[in-house]
Amino acid sequence: MATAISALSALAQETRLAIFRALVRAHAVEDGRGGLAAGEIGEALSVPPATLSFHLKELAHAGLVTSRREGRSIVYKADLDAMLGLTGFLLDDCCQGACGTLSPCAVAPVKSAQKECV
């Protein structure tokens, strides 16, 4: 519950939500690839460096972004596993259990013949 509240709180701010969405668009599955340098994010969203740093720190603290150093730049990447965990938590009891599990830990969701999830 605390992890979900932290992540939702971090995303409940316009600039942080825009940053996360930009990082999702720049995502690449491979480790060490994808993401955006802090300067690229700031330029694309017209966010001053000090403000951007604050927002990136909040997203990282919530576990929604990771970072890596590339030369003199820090490249940020959306942590999609964390987002899948959050959405899994939010949807875990979908349809009062009639849809089966939607948790990312499950191998495959169980479908019910009685109810169909939307």
XYZ file of all heavy atoms in Angstrom:
847
model
N 0.828 -1.188 0.000
C 0.000 0.000 0.000
C 0.878 1.259 0.000
O 0.614 2.182 -0.757
C -0.921 -0.038 1.215
C -1.921 1.085 1.274
S -3.289 0.981 0.109
C -4.233 -0.337 0.790
N 1.922 1.276 0.830
C 2.793 2.456 0.921
C 3.500 2.731 -0.409
O 3.643 3.887 -0.815
C 3.807 2.289 2.043
N 3.915 1.669 -1.090
C 4.583 1.825 -2.386
C 3.630 2.423 -3.410
O 4.003 3.314 -4.179
C 5.117 0.466 -2.874
O 6.015 -0.047 -1.891
C 5.827 0.584 -4.201
N 2.390 1.948 -3.424
C 1.390 2.461 -4.364
C 1.094 3.925 -4.071
O 1.006 4.740 -5.000
C 0.111 1.638 -4.293
N 0.958 4.268 -2.818
C 0.674 5.659 -2.445
C 1.827 6.564 -2.860
O 1.609 7.651 -3.408
C 0.379 5.773 -0.943
C -0.955 5.100 -0.634
C 0.378 7.228 -0.482
C -1.235 4.919 0.844
N 3.051 6.116 -2.645
C 4.223 6.904 -3.037
C 4.259 7.130 -4.551
O 4.500 8.247 -5.024
C 5.491 6.194 -2.572
O 6.633 6.875 -2.992
N 4.013 6.076 -5.318
C 4.039 6.187 -6.782
C 2.908 7.076 -7.288
O 3.121 7.944 -8.144
C 3.954 4.802 -7.421
N 1.720 6.883 -6.761
C 0.587 7.701 -7.199
C 0.778 9.164 -6.815
O 0.436 10.064 -7.588
C -0.722 7.155 -6.623
C -1.155 5.801 -7.200
C -2.298 5.218 -6.383
C -1.537 5.923 -8.662
N 1.342 9.402 -5.639
C 1.620 10.782 -5.215
C 2.627 11.445 -6.142
O 2.483 12.613 -6.490
C 2.149 10.802 -3.781
O 1.171 10.367 -2.882
N 3.646 10.678 -6.533
C 4.658 11.236 -7.435
C 4.058 11.595 -8.785
O 4.410 12.612 -9.385
C 5.804 10.243 -7.615
N 3.135 10.788 -9.264
C 2.529 11.034 -10.577
C 1.397 12.059 -10.530
O 0.943 12.510 -11.577
C 2.013 9.719 -11.160
C 3.092 8.710 -11.533
C 2.470 7.384 -11.916
C 3.984 9.239 -12.646
N 0.968 12.428 -9.338
C -0.154 13.360 -9.185
C 0.309 14.807 -9.258
O -0.219 15.677 -8.569
C -0.885 13.091 -7.870
N 1.281 15.066 -10.093
C 1.802 16.410 -10.291
C 2.095 16.547 -11.779
O 2.702 15.663 -12.388
C 3.064 16.588 -9.434
C 3.477 18.012 -9.174
C 4.194 18.647 -10.354
O 4.753 17.965 -11.207
N 4.152 19.966 -10.412
N 1.658 17.633 -12.363
C 1.693 17.810 -13.818
C 3.076 17.614 -14.436
O 3.224 16.893 -15.434
C 1.156 19.194 -14.156
C 0.988 19.450 -15.624
C 0.375 20.824 -15.908
O -0.133 21.476 -14.991
O 0.425 21.222 -17.078
N 4.094 18.233 -13.880
C 5.436 18.130 -14.461
C 5.974 16.712 -14.336
O 6.547 16.171 -15.286
C 6.396 19.124 -13.780
O 5.875 20.444 -13.940
C 7.792 19.056 -14.381
N 5.784 16.084 -13.175
C 6.284 14.717 -12.995
C 5.566 13.738 -13.915
O 6.182 12.831 -14.474
C 6.174 14.299 -11.526
C 7.188 15.019 -10.661
C 7.315 14.411 -9.292
N 6.173 14.614 -8.447
C 6.020 15.614 -7.588
N 6.970 16.541 -7.482
N 4.952 15.704 -6.836
N 4.278 13.925 -14.097
C 3.545 13.064 -15.014
C 4.057 13.248 -16.442
O 4.255 12.273 -17.178
C 2.045 13.354 -14.939
C 1.141 12.452 -15.781
C 1.329 10.986 -15.432
C -0.314 12.864 -15.602
N 4.320 14.482 -16.834
C 4.859 14.756 -18.173
C 6.247 14.130 -18.338
O 6.558 13.567 -19.399
C 4.923 16.257 -18.426
N 7.076 14.204 -17.299
C 8.408 13.589 -17.354
C 8.276 12.084 -17.524
O 8.936 11.487 -18.381
C 9.218 13.923 -16.080
C 9.577 15.407 -16.043
C 10.478 13.060 -15.996
C 10.113 15.882 -14.692
N 7.425 11.465 -16.720
C 7.262 10.012 -16.804
C 6.767 9.601 -18.191
O 7.282 8.651 -18.783
C 6.319 9.498 -15.715
C 6.268 7.998 -15.670
C 7.275 7.284 -15.038
C 5.243 7.313 -16.283
C 7.253 5.886 -15.025
C 5.204 5.923 -16.266
C 6.216 5.217 -15.632
N 5.811 10.322 -18.727
C 5.290 10.002 -20.061
C 6.371 10.159 -21.134
O 6.461 9.355 -22.056
C 4.075 10.861 -20.382
C 2.855 10.455 -19.538
C 1.676 11.369 -19.804
N 1.477 11.568 -21.233
C 0.508 11.016 -21.949
N -0.377 10.264 -21.365
N 0.397 11.245 -23.235
N 7.211 11.190 -21.011
C 8.307 11.382 -21.965
C 9.284 10.203 -21.879
O 9.774 9.713 -22.901
C 9.024 12.698 -21.694
N 9.551 9.745 -20.667
C 10.460 8.618 -20.493
C 9.860 7.321 -21.025
O 10.583 6.472 -21.545
C 10.850 8.473 -19.020
C 11.717 9.611 -18.475
C 11.922 9.455 -16.975
C 13.043 9.687 -19.204
N 8.568 7.166 -20.909
C 7.909 5.983 -21.477
C 8.051 5.995 -22.995
O 8.348 4.970 -23.615
C 6.424 5.914 -21.052
C 5.655 4.883 -21.868
C 6.309 5.608 -19.560
N 7.875 7.166 -23.610
C 8.016 7.258 -25.066
C 9.437 6.941 -25.512
O 9.652 6.433 -26.611
C 7.608 8.654 -25.550
C 6.112 8.868 -25.583
C 5.724 10.159 -26.280
N 6.187 11.348 -25.596
C 5.558 11.956 -24.598
N 4.424 11.484 -24.152
N 6.048 13.039 -24.034
N 10.417 7.247 -24.668
C 11.822 7.037 -25.022
C 12.349 5.690 -24.519
O 13.548 5.444 -24.548
C 12.668 8.169 -24.436
N 11.463 4.820 -24.079
C 11.880 3.555 -23.466
C 12.425 2.573 -24.500
O 11.969 2.531 -25.636
C 10.687 2.920 -22.747
C 11.062 1.742 -21.906
N 11.648 1.896 -20.675
C 10.969 0.419 -22.127
C 11.886 0.698 -20.169
N 11.484 -0.216 -21.032
N 13.405 1.804 -24.094
C 13.911 0.677 -24.872
C 14.047 -0.480 -23.897
O 14.446 -0.296 -22.755
C 15.263 1.000 -25.501
N 13.719 -1.660 -24.342
C 13.696 -2.828 -23.469
C 15.100 -3.208 -22.989
O 15.288 -3.591 -21.846
C 13.030 -4.024 -24.188
C 13.051 -5.255 -23.318
C 11.606 -3.660 -24.584
N 16.087 -3.084 -23.842
C 17.439 -3.515 -23.508
C 18.027 -2.679 -22.377
O 17.831 -1.475 -22.314
C 18.369 -3.396 -24.732
C 17.921 -4.173 -25.934
C 16.954 -3.383 -26.810
O 16.864 -2.150 -26.680
O 16.265 -4.017 -27.615
N 18.779 -3.352 -21.479
C 19.500 -2.632 -20.425
C 20.537 -1.722 -21.066
O 21.159 -2.077 -22.065
C 20.211 -3.612 -19.486
C 19.257 -4.258 -18.502
O 18.182 -3.680 -18.253
O 19.597 -5.337 -17.990
N 20.715 -0.545 -20.487
C 21.712 0.378 -20.996
C 21.295 1.114 -22.255
O 22.101 1.809 -22.865
N 20.048 0.959 -22.671
C 19.550 1.641 -23.869
C 18.263 2.371 -23.514
O 17.595 2.048 -22.563
C 19.302 0.639 -24.982
C 20.566 -0.101 -25.363
C 20.542 -0.645 -26.723
N 19.771 0.183 -27.630
C 20.127 0.451 -28.857
N 21.224 -0.028 -29.318
N 19.369 1.172 -29.642
N 17.887 3.327 -24.331
C 16.650 4.070 -24.116
C 16.801 5.089 -23.008
O 17.836 5.203 -22.367
N 15.745 5.829 -22.800
C 15.762 6.880 -21.794
C 16.165 8.214 -22.387
O 16.420 8.337 -23.590
N 16.220 9.202 -21.520
C 16.578 10.557 -21.932
C 17.537 11.168 -20.930
O 17.387 10.972 -19.716
C 15.329 11.450 -22.000
C 14.276 11.105 -23.044
C 13.006 11.923 -22.792
C 14.812 11.372 -24.442
N 18.492 11.924 -21.445
C 19.386 12.679 -20.575
C 18.583 13.798 -19.911
O 17.595 14.285 -20.469
C 20.549 13.257 -21.372
N 19.013 14.184 -18.730
C 18.300 15.229 -17.988
C 18.124 16.492 -18.830
O 17.042 17.077 -18.862
C 19.032 15.542 -16.691
N 19.160 16.884 -19.554
C 19.074 18.074 -20.399
C 18.028 17.946 -21.497
O 17.329 18.911 -21.821
N 17.913 16.761 -22.066
C 16.905 16.516 -23.106
C 15.493 16.636 -22.532
O 14.600 17.185 -23.179
C 17.072 15.122 -23.702
C 18.341 14.921 -24.495
C 18.509 13.488 -24.947
O 18.463 12.580 -24.089
O 18.689 13.282 -26.164
N 15.305 16.106 -21.330
C 13.988 16.193 -20.692
C 13.641 17.652 -20.429
O 12.542 18.114 -20.765
C 13.953 15.404 -19.370
C 14.236 13.922 -19.609
C 12.613 15.589 -18.672
C 14.516 13.141 -18.337
N 14.580 18.377 -19.832
C 14.342 19.784 -19.510
C 14.025 20.618 -20.732
O 13.115 21.440 -20.721
N 14.770 20.373 -21.802
C 14.549 21.123 -23.040
C 13.194 20.784 -23.654
O 12.440 21.661 -24.063
C 15.674 20.809 -24.028
C 15.636 21.666 -25.276
C 16.830 21.373 -26.170
O 17.974 21.409 -25.666
O 16.604 21.118 -27.374
N 12.867 19.501 -23.700
C 11.608 19.072 -24.320
C 10.394 19.583 -23.563
O 9.364 19.904 -24.164
C 11.558 17.549 -24.401
N 10.506 19.682 -22.238
C 9.356 20.087 -21.418
C 9.448 21.513 -20.905
O 8.578 21.955 -20.156
C 9.210 19.115 -20.234
C 9.009 17.648 -20.606
C 8.972 16.787 -19.351
C 7.742 17.463 -21.430
N 10.497 22.218 -21.293
C 10.725 23.610 -20.829
C 10.714 23.702 -19.306
O 10.041 24.544 -18.718
C 9.689 24.556 -21.431
O 9.755 24.546 -22.834
N 11.501 22.826 -18.687
C 11.616 22.802 -17.230
C 13.043 23.212 -16.868
O 14.004 22.621 -17.371
C 11.310 21.386 -16.673
C 11.478 21.342 -15.177
C 9.909 20.956 -17.074
N 13.205 24.212 -15.994
C 14.549 24.632 -15.581
C 15.293 23.491 -14.867
O 14.663 22.647 -14.214
C 14.294 25.790 -14.615
C 12.875 26.174 -14.793
C 12.154 25.004 -15.382
N 16.628 23.468 -14.965
C 17.414 22.372 -14.388
C 17.140 22.091 -12.903
O 17.007 20.934 -12.514
C 18.856 22.816 -14.601
C 18.798 23.716 -15.787
C 17.474 24.417 -15.699
N 17.063 23.106 -12.071
C 16.841 22.874 -10.636
C 15.465 22.251 -10.388
O 15.320 21.337 -9.567
C 16.979 24.180 -9.860
N 14.470 22.729 -11.105
C 13.113 22.182 -10.970
C 13.074 20.748 -11.470
O 12.477 19.865 -10.835
C 12.111 23.052 -11.758
O 12.207 24.397 -11.293
C 10.696 22.554 -11.611
N 13.728 20.492 -12.603
C 13.776 19.152 -13.171
C 14.440 18.183 -12.205
O 13.946 17.077 -11.983
C 14.527 19.170 -14.507
C 14.667 17.817 -15.195
C 13.296 17.298 -15.630
C 15.594 17.933 -16.384
N 15.534 18.605 -11.614
C 16.250 17.764 -10.664
C 15.349 17.363 -9.500
O 15.330 16.199 -9.083
C 17.479 18.514 -10.150
O 18.166 17.742 -9.204
N 14.592 18.319 -8.978
C 13.659 18.038 -7.887
C 12.624 16.990 -8.304
O 12.380 16.018 -7.581
C 12.960 19.330 -7.447
C 11.822 19.086 -6.502
C 12.052 18.819 -5.161
C 10.514 19.103 -6.962
C 10.997 18.579 -4.290
C 9.445 18.860 -6.101
C 9.703 18.596 -4.760
N 12.030 17.166 -9.474
C 10.987 16.250 -9.937
C 11.545 14.862 -10.241
O 10.913 13.842 -9.924
C 10.255 16.822 -11.144
C 9.392 17.989 -10.814
N 8.415 17.954 -9.843
C 9.362 19.250 -11.315
C 7.810 19.131 -9.768
N 8.372 19.931 -10.653
N 12.733 14.787 -10.835
C 13.350 13.490 -11.106
C 13.677 12.765 -9.802
O 13.516 11.547 -9.705
C 14.607 13.667 -11.957
C 14.350 14.012 -13.419
C 15.641 14.465 -14.093
C 13.732 12.828 -14.157
N 14.105 13.513 -8.794
C 14.385 12.923 -7.485
C 13.120 12.326 -6.886
O 13.127 11.221 -6.342
C 14.968 13.973 -6.545
C 15.241 13.461 -5.129
C 15.711 14.558 -4.196
C 14.679 15.589 -3.884
N 13.582 15.217 -3.010
N 11.999 13.025 -7.021
C 10.728 12.518 -6.502
C 10.287 11.255 -7.224
O 9.814 10.305 -6.604
C 9.645 13.597 -6.615
C 9.852 14.785 -5.703
C 9.779 14.409 -4.235
O 8.822 13.724 -3.826
O 10.705 14.785 -3.486
N 10.447 11.229 -8.537
C 10.088 10.033 -9.314
C 10.998 8.853 -8.974
O 10.540 7.720 -8.864
C 10.141 10.340 -10.811
C 9.031 11.248 -11.337
C 9.361 11.740 -12.745
C 7.689 10.534 -11.307
N 12.280 9.129 -8.780
C 13.221 8.075 -8.406
C 12.904 7.554 -7.004
O 12.929 6.338 -6.770
C 14.654 8.593 -8.488
N 12.607 8.458 -6.089
C 12.260 8.067 -4.720
C 11.014 7.171 -4.707
O 10.914 6.245 -3.905
C 12.040 9.311 -3.852
C 11.657 9.010 -2.449
N 12.546 8.503 -1.537
C 10.476 9.124 -1.806
C 11.918 8.304 -0.393
N 10.666 8.682 -0.521
N 10.090 7.422 -5.614
C 8.871 6.614 -5.721
C 9.122 5.306 -6.479
O 8.228 4.477 -6.594
C 7.772 7.416 -6.419
N 10.338 5.129 -7.008
C 10.677 3.904 -7.712
C 10.191 3.840 -9.142
O 10.153 2.771 -9.740
N 9.839 4.988 -9.713
C 9.280 5.006 -11.056
C 10.306 5.262 -12.156
O 10.016 5.045 -13.334
C 8.161 6.049 -11.148
C 6.938 5.729 -10.293
C 5.996 6.917 -10.265
C 6.235 4.490 -10.817
N 11.485 5.755 -11.798
C 12.537 5.979 -12.792
C 13.863 5.454 -12.253
O 14.093 5.401 -11.051
C 12.695 7.466 -13.192
C 11.429 8.021 -13.795
C 13.155 8.316 -12.054
N 14.709 5.052 -13.181
C 16.074 4.657 -12.861
C 16.997 5.603 -13.620
O 16.563 6.320 -14.529
C 16.353 3.202 -13.285
O 16.163 3.081 -14.700
C 15.431 2.231 -12.553
N 18.263 5.599 -13.252
C 19.218 6.456 -13.956
C 20.534 5.718 -14.134
O 20.847 4.777 -13.409
C 19.438 7.756 -13.183
O 19.985 7.491 -11.904
N 21.269 6.160 -15.148
C 22.598 5.621 -15.405
C 23.456 6.763 -15.951
O 22.942 7.720 -16.533
C 22.540 4.461 -16.399
C 22.135 4.855 -17.802
C 22.080 3.663 -18.766
N 21.828 4.082 -20.112
C 20.624 4.357 -20.629
N 19.540 4.239 -19.887
N 20.501 4.743 -21.887
N 24.731 6.656 -15.725
C 25.652 7.670 -16.217
C 26.135 7.264 -17.600
O 26.498 6.122 -17.837
C 26.830 7.826 -15.278
C 27.771 8.925 -15.710
C 28.729 9.339 -14.640
N 28.144 10.114 -13.574
C 27.797 11.403 -13.638
N 27.934 12.046 -14.773
N 27.303 12.038 -12.613
N 26.101 8.216 -18.521
C 26.671 8.049 -19.861
C 27.554 9.251 -20.116
O 27.059 10.338 -20.408
C 25.566 7.963 -20.924
C 24.911 6.617 -21.017
C 23.971 6.498 -22.216
O 23.937 7.417 -23.072
O 23.266 5.487 -22.283
N 28.853 9.042 -19.964
C 29.779 10.162 -20.103
C 29.521 11.186 -19.012
O 29.520 10.859 -17.832
N 29.253 12.414 -19.415
C 28.971 13.475 -18.449
C 27.487 13.635 -18.163
O 27.105 14.464 -17.360
C 29.544 14.802 -18.967
C 31.049 14.777 -19.037
C 31.677 16.030 -19.557
N 30.756 17.121 -19.836
C 31.058 18.238 -20.430
N 32.283 18.424 -20.848
N 30.179 19.174 -20.636
N 26.658 12.854 -18.814
C 25.205 12.973 -18.654
C 24.647 11.877 -17.753
O 25.201 10.791 -17.665
C 24.502 12.864 -20.013
O 24.898 13.902 -20.862
N 23.527 12.184 -17.126
C 22.751 11.178 -16.423
C 21.506 10.931 -17.265
O 20.777 11.863 -17.604
C 22.373 11.629 -15.006
C 23.643 11.830 -14.178
C 21.459 10.594 -14.346
C 23.405 12.320 -12.785
N 21.321 9.672 -17.643
C 20.196 9.290 -18.489
C 19.148 8.626 -17.602
O 19.454 7.715 -16.837
C 20.643 8.334 -19.614
C 19.454 7.866 -20.437
C 21.671 9.024 -20.508
N 17.920 9.099 -17.715
C 16.810 8.583 -16.918
C 15.937 7.693 -17.783
O 15.755 7.947 -18.967
C 15.989 9.744 -16.354
C 16.770 10.517 -15.326
C 17.593 11.573 -15.697
C 16.705 10.171 -13.981
C 18.331 12.263 -14.759
C 17.437 10.859 -13.038
C 18.245 11.911 -13.424
O 18.985 12.584 -12.491
N 15.407 6.650 -17.155
C 14.579 5.688 -17.863
C 13.388 5.337 -16.984
O 13.522 5.171 -15.772
C 15.415 4.435 -18.158
C 14.748 3.428 -19.052
C 15.736 2.323 -19.415
C 15.079 1.295 -20.286
N 16.021 0.238 -20.682
N 12.211 5.239 -17.590
C 11.012 4.830 -16.854
C 11.185 3.385 -16.407
O 11.644 2.548 -17.175
C 9.773 4.966 -17.735
N 10.827 3.108 -15.167
C 10.866 1.731 -14.666
C 9.496 1.120 -14.913
O 8.577 1.266 -14.111
C 11.222 1.715 -13.181
C 11.454 0.307 -12.661
O 10.894 -0.653 -13.239
O 12.185 0.169 -11.668
N 9.362 0.459 -16.051
C 8.071 -0.105 -16.431
C 7.660 -1.272 -15.543
O 6.468 -1.511 -15.359
C 8.082 -0.512 -17.903
C 8.306 0.632 -18.899
C 8.105 0.136 -20.320
C 7.423 1.821 -18.616
N 8.624 -1.984 -14.971
C 8.275 -3.050 -14.035
C 7.579 -2.466 -12.811
O 6.616 -3.040 -12.302
C 9.516 -3.832 -13.606
C 10.066 -4.714 -14.717
O 9.276 -5.095 -15.607
O 11.269 -5.014 -14.691
N 8.050 -1.311 -12.352
C 7.397 -0.649 -11.214
C 5.988 -0.215 -11.595
O 5.047 -0.369 -10.807
C 8.222 0.554 -10.758
N 5.819 0.306 -12.807
C 4.489 0.729 -13.240
C 3.565 -0.479 -13.412
O 2.385 -0.415 -13.054
C 4.574 1.531 -14.543
C 3.230 2.047 -15.030
S 2.270 2.991 -13.814
C 3.152 4.526 -13.780
N 4.088 -1.580 -13.928
C 3.281 -2.797 -14.042
C 2.875 -3.296 -12.661
O 1.752 -3.765 -12.465
C 4.052 -3.880 -14.792
C 4.182 -3.679 -16.290
C 5.126 -4.727 -16.885
C 2.829 -3.720 -16.969
N 3.782 -3.184 -11.707
C 3.453 -3.564 -10.341
C 2.355 -2.693 -9.770
O 1.436 -3.179 -9.096
N 2.420 -1.385 -10.047
C 1.404 -0.457 -9.566
C 0.051 -0.752 -10.205
O -0.961 -0.852 -9.507
C 1.819 0.989 -9.861
C 0.801 2.067 -9.497
C 0.485 2.055 -8.012
C 1.308 3.434 -9.951
N 0.027 -0.909 -11.507
C -1.257 -1.192 -12.161
C -1.784 -2.565 -11.756
O -2.985 -2.750 -11.608
C -1.163 -1.076 -13.697
O -0.143 -1.937 -14.171
C -0.881 0.352 -14.124
N -0.877 -3.522 -11.562
C -1.297 -4.831 -11.078
C -1.939 -4.731 -9.710
O -2.979 -5.334 -9.443
N -1.334 -3.936 -8.834
C -1.891 -3.718 -7.503
C -3.273 -3.068 -7.593
O -4.215 -3.477 -6.923
C -0.948 -2.838 -6.671
C -1.516 -2.395 -5.368
C -1.557 -3.260 -4.285
C -2.026 -1.109 -5.218
C -2.091 -2.852 -3.063
C -2.559 -0.693 -4.016
C -2.596 -1.570 -2.928
N -3.399 -2.067 -8.457
C -4.670 -1.353 -8.581
C -5.768 -2.226 -9.184
O -6.941 -2.077 -8.856
C -4.494 -0.097 -9.437
C -3.628 1.001 -8.828
C -3.379 2.092 -9.861
C -4.262 1.567 -7.568
N -5.407 -3.140 -10.068
C -6.391 -3.958 -10.777
C -6.502 -5.382 -10.236
O -7.250 -6.194 -10.783
C -6.034 -4.016 -12.269
C -6.021 -2.678 -12.987
C -5.520 -2.850 -14.413
C -7.390 -2.036 -12.978
N -5.798 -5.668 -9.171
C -5.712 -7.039 -8.673
C -7.065 -7.660 -8.353
O -7.245 -8.860 -8.511
C -4.807 -7.091 -7.445
C -4.122 -8.424 -7.310
O -3.890 -9.081 -8.346
O -3.827 -8.815 -6.173
N -8.013 -6.888 -7.912
C -9.327 -7.432 -7.563
C -10.386 -7.046 -8.586
O -11.567 -6.933 -8.262
C -9.736 -6.953 -6.165
C -8.803 -7.491 -5.103
O -8.388 -8.653 -5.221
O -8.473 -6.746 -4.162
N -9.967 -6.876 -9.837
C -10.869 -6.485 -10.913
C -12.080 -7.405 -10.983
O -11.960 -8.626 -10.857
C -10.110 -6.515 -12.242
S -11.135 -6.266 -13.697
N -13.222 -6.837 -11.196
C -14.463 -7.590 -11.416
C -14.781 -8.508 -10.242
O -15.313 -9.599 -10.432
C -14.404 -8.388 -12.711
S -13.944 -7.416 -14.149
N -14.398 -8.102 -9.051
C -14.616 -8.877 -7.825
C -14.063 -10.287 -7.952
O -14.638 -11.258 -7.469
C -16.097 -8.895 -7.462
C -16.629 -7.518 -7.175
C -18.114 -7.509 -6.874
O -18.771 -8.531 -6.866
N -18.634 -6.327 -6.615
N -12.936 -10.401 -8.652
C -12.270 -11.688 -8.800
C -12.731 -12.525 -9.980
O -12.144 -13.563 -10.277
N -13.768 -12.105 -10.689
C -14.304 -12.886 -11.796
C -13.349 -12.940 -12.989
O -13.442 -13.824 -13.825
C -15.656 -12.331 -12.244
N -12.427 -11.988 -13.070
C -11.494 -11.933 -14.200
C -10.234 -12.734 -13.932
O -9.376 -12.828 -14.793
C -11.096 -10.491 -14.485
S -12.492 -9.456 -14.889
N -10.089 -13.270 -12.750
C -8.851 -13.951 -12.409
C -7.823 -12.933 -11.984
O -8.138 -11.768 -11.758
N -6.587 -13.337 -11.915
C -5.541 -12.436 -11.459
C -5.002 -11.607 -12.617
O -4.848 -12.100 -13.719
C -4.416 -13.213 -10.765
O -3.462 -12.260 -10.295
C -3.732 -14.193 -11.679
N -4.736 -10.364 -12.341
C -4.103 -9.482 -13.324
C -2.708 -9.096 -12.853
O -2.075 -8.251 -13.436
C -4.943 -8.214 -13.516
C -6.338 -8.431 -14.079
C -7.112 -7.127 -14.083
C -6.283 -9.003 -15.472
N -2.260 -9.717 -11.779
C -0.967 -9.401 -11.195
C 0.149 -9.717 -12.181
O 0.111 -10.739 -12.855
C -0.775 -10.209 -9.916
O 0.543 -10.059 -9.442
N 1.187 -8.844 -12.273
C 2.308 -9.126 -13.174
C 3.104 -10.351 -12.727
O 3.888 -10.880 -13.484
C 3.155 -7.855 -13.116
C 2.736 -7.151 -11.889
C 1.323 -7.560 -11.598
N 2.865 -10.817 -11.502
C 3.557 -12.012 -11.020
C 2.928 -13.281 -11.572
O 3.528 -14.349 -11.525
C 3.526 -12.065 -9.490
S 4.351 -10.655 -8.742
N 1.708 -13.189 -12.061
C 1.014 -14.376 -12.568
C 1.511 -14.711 -13.961
O 1.837 -13.830 -14.753
C -0.486 -14.130 -12.606
N 1.538 -15.980 -14.277
C 1.988 -16.424 -15.600
C 0.999 -15.981 -16.665
O 1.362 -15.428 -17.675
C 2.154 -17.958 -15.625
C 2.524 -18.424 -17.020
C 3.206 -18.375 -14.620
N -0.280 -16.216 -16.441
C -1.313 -15.792 -17.396
C -2.596 -15.553 -16.624
O -2.904 -16.284 -15.693
C -1.526 -16.866 -18.452
N -3.343 -14.525 -16.991
C -4.613 -14.280 -16.295
C -5.610 -15.395 -16.560
O -5.621 -15.984 -17.636
C -5.103 -12.955 -16.860
C -4.236 -12.624 -18.009
C -3.051 -13.544 -18.000
N -6.411 -15.673 -15.560
C -7.439 -16.696 -15.672
C -8.715 -16.019 -16.129
O -9.141 -15.033 -15.558
C -7.664 -17.382 -14.300
C -8.764 -18.410 -14.398
C -6.379 -17.999 -13.814
N -9.317 -16.524 -17.178
C -10.575 -15.946 -17.701
C -11.754 -16.695 -17.141
O -11.723 -17.910 -16.996
C -10.598 -16.009 -19.231
C -9.574 -15.144 -19.898
C -9.937 -13.705 -19.788
C -8.941 -12.860 -20.555
N -9.241 -11.475 -20.483
N -12.799 -15.973 -16.845
C -14.017 -16.578 -16.361
C -15.036 -16.607 -17.480
O -15.152 -15.642 -18.236
C -14.572 -15.768 -15.181
O -15.861 -16.203 -14.843
N -15.776 -17.654 -17.583
C -16.804 -17.749 -18.625
C -18.008 -16.877 -18.282
O -18.757 -16.487 -19.162
C -17.250 -19.202 -18.782
N -18.157 -16.518 -17.006
C -19.329 -15.752 -16.585
C -19.201 -14.256 -16.875
O -20.162 -13.619 -17.232
C -19.559 -15.937 -15.090
C -19.889 -17.369 -14.739
C -19.953 -17.552 -13.236
O -19.494 -16.708 -12.471
N -20.496 -18.676 -12.809
N -18.000 -13.710 -16.703
C -17.804 -12.278 -16.850
C -16.597 -12.009 -17.710
O -15.616 -12.738 -17.658
C -17.549 -11.681 -15.461
C -18.555 -10.695 -15.023
C -18.140 -10.129 -13.686
C -19.213 -9.239 -13.148
N -18.901 -8.734 -11.851
N -16.650 -10.983 -18.513
C -15.520 -10.627 -19.339
C -15.019 -9.263 -18.913
O -15.791 -8.331 -18.760
C -15.944 -10.591 -20.812
C -14.775 -10.353 -21.730
C -15.188 -10.432 -23.185
O -15.804 -11.421 -23.571
O -14.893 -9.466 -23.905
N -13.705 -9.141 -18.717
C -13.113 -7.857 -18.319
C -13.041 -6.921 -19.516
O -12.838 -7.361 -20.639
C -11.701 -8.048 -17.774
S -11.699 -8.668 -16.110
N -13.185 -5.673 -19.242
C -13.060 -4.650 -20.269
C -11.668 -4.092 -20.239
O -11.066 -3.886 -19.271
C -14.103 -3.526 -20.040
C -13.993 -2.496 -21.136
C -15.482 -4.092 -19.985
